[in-house]
Amino acid sequence: MKEFITFIQQLINGLSLGSVYALMALGYTMVYGIAKMLNFAHGDIIMVGAYTVSIVCSIAGFSPMAAVLASIVVCTALGVTIEKIAYKPLRNASPLAVLITAIGVSYFLQSVALLIFGSKARKVQSVLNLESVKIGGVDLSGVALVIIFITILIMILLTLFIKCTKVGKAMLAVSEDRGAAQLMGINVNATISMTFAIGSALAAIAGVLFVSSYGYVDPYTGALPGIKTFVAAVIGGIGSIPGAMFGGIVLGIIESLSKAYISTDLADAIVFGVLIVVLLFKPAGMLGKKKITKV
Amino acid sequence: MENKKSILFAIIAIVIFIALFTLVEMGLLSRQYMGLLVPICVNIILAVSLNLIVGFLGELSLGHAGFMSIGAYAGCLFTVYANLPPFIEIPLALIIGGLVAALFGFIIGIPALRLRGDYLAIVTLGFGEIVRSVLNSLKIVGGSGGLKGINSGMHKSDYYIVAYIVVIITILVISNFINSRHGRAVKAIRDNVIAAESVGINVVYYKILGFVIAAFFAGMAGVLYGHNIGILKPATFDFNKSIEILVMVIMGSMGNIPGSIIAAIILTVLPEALRFLQDYRMLIYAVALILIMLFSSNPTLIEFRKKIFGKKEKGGK
């Protein structure tokens, strides 16, 4: 019985970690689906969001809610600026060039953060202060439950936004066929900027939730989660919103179970191993559509 | 034409060798620069071999440090446990390191058949991370504390010669490969997979071959590195190392071997010469990556570049 309770607790931990991954993966998958590029700097936007929260909370002494809003504003502005300066000039360049630029942007953000804040980890006050709940002997952390709830809420809102609004439909059109969308009078550049704005705002929220459960931030906070998030998006099938959600949660559960039962050191190796296996058998991901190349 | 080129290459190689040899023997190089000779060789090998994947095969590999670490551990474990005379041991270690790395290159080459571009880049990245965390948790190789007590058993100046010979072999093999029938097939795959396949090029074979050759040399570079430094730590071979090699390839311009060599030398010597800029190194790399990509791929900026350097570029061609 005791083992069962630990298992359930690990499962809930995994679900909460997975929800954060899912939030980040939503941003990745939207940008990939619409701009057809891998935004390597997505993880580092999360880091910037976390630093913003930490600074606003400690220096300015604002309330946590104000800090969250500030972080969303900063990240959105940053995401759109990066898109304008670094990615927009390469709209028709080879995918390799865009990918390398994105890696450059990621390193740029990391090294700027390193120069400003130093390599020492900085403490972040948790935005969420909640008691844990006990249900049938299982200790459920309040933060974990709130994270899961927020993620589900955001996913529903995002799906509604894309299905029901004009901007959302424009995004779908651009992701299906950029040229045809342009002919129909859709402003492709504005749509792509909008995608970056939404993706970065989601990254900001994910960043806040991520550091709420970890409690500190350093310049490399975003790097590995950023990569793992991409893994989540790929496992779920990149470009698909339910896929990102599914992939994120699967990844979170795998990671937390392997940390608990196999080895902390090997958890990352297992995550990437799963990615390679999934891609070998389903190159388009679990929920992705298979693309046929026409000659 | 080809003959002239190879004669020129041989002359350059011998001249550089004699120049370096006299400098080292006469003690004209400062300790600091002597210490850089092997790292320069290691980086040249890494950059040239990664260029084969990125520049000629047209796939982005973000796990080159993974191949390097596998080779390094395999080769160094061999020298730690086998007690042979150094002049037999080191070449054997180099070959073992290269072969083990090549085996992993083959394994990574298999997903490369089904995946392209971004997906493949992430698989190679994941591969690098897997290698690092497995090495971190393996007790036989010392875990995160590192594999200690690696000794080449050679005199320093003999070891420089070994490193130099490996560099020459790498450059010769890879540039000959690229100019051969196989190399042309590899370039055809990069330019258009479907067209290459339809004229009967075996895409599967050449893609794996590219990864195997690149991994082999990266493994040798790892062995050289390990015997020079004496201790191997998994943390050295992280994602940043892979990116550093990639920066060398990009700065030397993709698909250009002399470029990779020059960039590798500059990027090894420069951080030592500009110690005071140490903190800004990664920032400079990042900005350089972005600017190089913008200036080489954006139509308006290409025009701008041609206006400024127009005459030179025309003269060059």
Side-chain angles (χ1 to χ4, degrees):
Chain A
M1 190 61 198
K2 204 178 165 215
E3 271 160 29
F4 181 69
I5 286 174
T6 344
F7 178 73
I8 294 288
Q9 248 160 13
Q10 290 302 337
L11 212 58
I12 300 285
N13 282 347
L15 217 57
S16 134
L17 181 67
S19 304
V20 179
Y21 282 151
L23 265 187
M24 300 191 219
L26 283 177
Y28 249 121
T29 225
M30 283 180 70
V31 168
Y32 194 94
I34 288 152
K36 297 280 177 287
M37 64 160 291
L38 203 172
N39 185 10
F40 227 88
H42 196 71
D44 302 290
I45 292 178
I46 291 161
M47 176 267 298
V48 173
Y51 266 116
T52 316
V53 170
S54 153
I55 290 166
V56 172
C57 272
S58 65
I59 296 173
F62 283 144
S63 70
M65 264 347 266
V68 174
L69 280 180
S71 136
I72 292 177
V73 171
V74 169
C75 287
T76 310
L78 182 70
V80 174
T81 319
I82 290 173
E83 199 270 330
K84 279 270 177 308
I85 294 175
Y87 301 152
K88 198 177 159 205
L90 298 174
R91 193 84 6 114
N92 296 316
S94 76
L96 196 63
V98 184
L99 185 54
I100 292 167
T101 313
I103 293 175
V105 172
S106 160
Y107 268 73
F108 177 79
L109 292 178
Q110 279 176 26
S111 40
V112 168
L114 189 66
L115 287 176
I116 298 176
F117 301 107
S119 58
K120 232 178 101 186
R122 190 185 168 98
K123 213 175 148 347
V124 185
Q125 281 127 315
S126 176
V127 176
L128 308 160
N129 286 316
L130 296 164
E131 304 270 316
S132 57
V133 194
K134 225 175 175 124
I135 301 174
V138 185
D139 236 347
L140 298 175
S141 117
V143 178
L145 291 179
V146 170
I147 288 177
I148 296 170
F149 174 72
I150 291 177
T151 309
I152 293 174
L153 186 72
I154 286 177
M155 191 185 131
I156 293 171
L157 287 179
L158 199 64
T159 316
L160 287 178
F161 173 77
I162 288 179
K163 286 252 163 77
C164 304
T165 63
K166 214 173 165 183
V167 185
K169 282 179 188 161
M171 284 178 174
L172 270 185
V174 173
S175 86
E176 289 216 342
D177 190 329
R178 196 183 286 174
Q182 203 154 19
L183 289 177
M184 295 295 124
I186 292 171
N187 187 341
V188 171
N189 278 331
T191 309
I192 293 181
S193 292
M194 187 67 195
T195 313
F196 268 88
I198 295 176
S200 308
L202 290 176
I205 300 174
V208 171
L209 298 178
F210 190 73
V211 291
S212 290
S213 38
Y214 278 76
Y216 69 91
V217 54
D218 67 38
Y220 306 110
T221 299
L224 195 58
I227 293 166
K228 279 191 203 156
T229 308
F230 181 72
V231 171
V234 171
I235 288 178
I238 203 147
S240 132
I241 290 179
M245 192 77 186
F246 170 80
I249 287 176
V250 166
L251 195 75
I253 291 175
I254 293 175
E255 189 177 329
S256 103
L257 289 185
S258 41
K259 265 185 187 157
Y261 294 106
I262 303 172
S263 144
T264 322
D265 282 340
L266 287 178
D268 289 350
I270 292 169
V271 165
F272 287 113
V274 169
L275 166 82
I276 293 177
V277 172
V278 167
L279 282 182
L280 271 180
F281 292 102
K282 288 197 70 110
M286 303 300 279
L287 302 181
K289 281 181 214 139
K290 204 175 170 194
K291 260 192 232 148
I292 298 161
T293 323
K294 288 180 196 150
V295 187
Chain B
M1 188 61 201
E2 274 305 303
N3 248 338
K4 260 188 193 167
K5 260 191 188 168
S6 35
I7 292 169
L8 189 71
F9 177 79
I11 292 172
I12 292 175
I14 293 170
V15 167
I16 293 178
F17 177 74
I18 293 172
L20 276 178
F21 191 74
T22 37
L23 280 176
V24 170
E25 286 298 305
M26 291 168 71
L28 288 175
L29 274 180
S30 73
R31 264 184 81 97
Q32 195 190 2
Y33 285 96
M34 293 265 277
L36 280 179
L37 285 177
V38 177
I40 287 175
C41 292
V42 170
N43 283 337
I44 291 176
I45 300 170
L46 288 171
V48 171
S49 59
L50 183 63
N51 204 348
L52 180 61
I53 298 182
V54 179
F56 294 98
L57 201 58
E59 296 289 2
L60 190 59
S61 167
L62 299 174
H64 217 55
F67 294 130
M68 181 190 176
S69 67
I70 288 174
Y73 272 90
C76 294
L77 271 180
F78 172 74
T79 42
V80 168
Y81 288 109
N83 289 312
L84 300 169
F87 288 96
I88 304 170
E89 198 177 59
I90 295 293
L92 270 179
L94 283 167
I95 291 169
I96 289 174
L99 286 178
V100 176
L103 176 69
F104 279 86
F106 177 73
I107 295 171
I108 278 299
I110 295 171
L113 306 175
R114 301 195 59 170
L115 308 168
R116 279 193 67 79
D118 305 342
Y119 284 73
L120 184 62
I122 290 296
V123 166
T124 54
L125 192 163
F127 162 74
E129 291 296 315
I130 291 175
V131 169
R132 192 170 57 93
S133 35
V134 168
L135 287 175
N136 240 334
S137 59
L138 270 186
K139 289 281 175 297
I140 320 173
V141 296
S144 57
L147 182 65
K148 296 182 191 91
I150 307 155
N151 194 351
S152 64
M154 279 186 183
H155 193 259
K156 276 264 179 215
S157 51
D158 292 336
Y159 195 64
Y160 296 148
I161 296 174
V162 172
Y164 190 76
I165 292 171
V166 179
V167 169
I168 297 296
I169 292 174
T170 311
I171 297 171
L172 274 181
V173 169
I174 291 187
S175 52
N176 274 326
F177 174 77
I178 284 159
N179 291 324
S180 71
R181 181 191 164 83
H182 304 286
R184 286 191 293 276
V186 166
K187 281 184 265 183
I189 294 172
R190 171 192 65 186
D191 293 338
N192 192 333
V193 185
I194 297 165
E197 218 166 8
S198 67
V199 294
I201 290 172
N202 188 345
V203 175
V204 174
Y205 172 76
Y206 283 111
K207 270 194 174 178
I208 291 188
L209 187 67
F211 269 91
V212 166
I213 294 177
F216 179 81
F217 286 108
M220 296 236 280
V223 179
L224 274 182
Y225 167 86
H227 286 94
N228 185 45
I229 229 116
I231 178 167
L232 287 176
K233 282 189 175 176
T236 327
F237 307 100
D238 61 354
F239 181 49
N240 287 350
K241 182 70 195 170
S242 298
I243 294 294
E244 212 182 304
I245 309 166
L246 183 68
V247 172
M248 288 169 194
V249 174
I250 306 287
M251 280 193 179
S253 97
M254 286 183 271
N256 182 339
I257 288 181
S260 297
I261 300 170
I262 294 167
I265 297 173
I266 292 176
L267 287 184
T268 322
V269 175
L270 215 58
E272 284 296 316
L274 304 174
R275 270 281 157 113
F276 60 96
L277 283 178
Q278 191 65 29
D279 295 344
Y280 295 89
R281 191 169 67 119
M282 286 323 285
L283 184 66
I284 295 168
Y285 281 5
V287 173
L289 265 187
I290 300 172
L291 287 183
I292 291 172
M293 280 302 128
L294 288 181
F295 274 95
S296 61
S297 300
N298 180 254
T300 346
L301 287 174
I302 290 176
E303 279 301 308
F304 175 73
R305 192 186 69 193
K306 278 191 179 154
K307 249 184 213 163
I308 296 178
F309 301 107
K311 275 179 193 167
K312 263 189 207 164
E313 276 181 23
K314 260 182 206 164
K317 279 169 192 172

